[in-house]
Amino acid sequence: MFIGHFGAGFGAKAAAPKTSLGTLFLASQFIDLLWPSLLLMGAERVRIAPGITRVTPLDFEYYPISHSLLAVTGWALLLALVYQLITRYPRGAVVAGLLVMSHWFLDLIVHRPDLPLSPGSTIKVGLGLWSSLPGTLVVELLVFAVGVAIYLRQTKAMDRVGKWSLWLLIGFLLVIYLGNLFGPPPPNASALAWVGQSQWLLILWGYWIDRHRRPLA
């Protein structure tokens, strides 16, 4: 799951209109922002295995710190607490925490049974939608489209930047998504991790967009 997480971030604007789109992206992608650093440090492992699923060549061998249900719950609570301390906006804090949790449950739909319930747990879960390319496209693009539609209904551009920067981001995310699906696999785990770090630019893009749009509610 990639573009679907951004769809969740877009859609969450309806629940927390005062929270920046950048923060909503940060929360919805939080564990995938954490994961590349853990890969580079050697704390977690992934193997490039073309053909392991119809959609992704990634074999997630070990990632309990970023992707176990218990750890994700802890990250969700931590991010919600930090956001509340900074902003004093309880609704935004709750939404941020729920977005962190949403990442795990969206991943649950598409992953093979490789998501651990807790660090050290031998129980791993995943519904395996990645075994179907058409099914993955339908579900993930639907989540993204609904999220974008909600964001468009909840906000209005204040200037040309607010209008065109949003549509450029939507197009850019679609290009990245399709490139990941139909392009060559990454050469190795390190290259994958460094590319993953570039997602921070998408978070900054979200903050930039939101500075040029205003909530309607």
Side-chain angles (χ1 to χ4, degrees), residues 81-105:
L81 176 61
V82 170
Y83 185 78
Q84 171 62 17
L85 290 173
I86 293 172
T87 66
R88 304 295 179 180
Y89 181 37
R91 179 183 294 188
V94 171
V95 169
L98 290 175
L99 278 173
V100 177
M101 293 300 304
S102 77
H103 190 114
W104 193 88
F105 287 100

Side-chain angles (χ1 to χ4, degrees), residues 153-211:
R153 288 176 62 89
Q154 293 294 319
T155 66
K156 182 178 181 179
M158 296 187 294
D159 51 31
R160 290 169 63 88
V161 172
K163 178 181 179 180
W164 294 112
S165 61
L166 173 61
W167 287 110
L168 284 171
L169 175 61
I170 292 169
F172 186 66
L173 287 171
L174 287 169
V175 168
I176 293 174
Y177 179 59
L178 295 175
N180 286 337
L181 287 180
F182 300 108
N188 52 60
S190 294
L192 173 66
W194 283 114
V195 170
Q197 298 285 18
S198 66
Q199 292 181 101
W200 286 102
L201 298 176
L202 299 175
I203 309 303
L204 295 176
W205 199 337
Y207 281 112
W208 181 50
I209 289 171
D210 222 57
R211 287 175 62 89

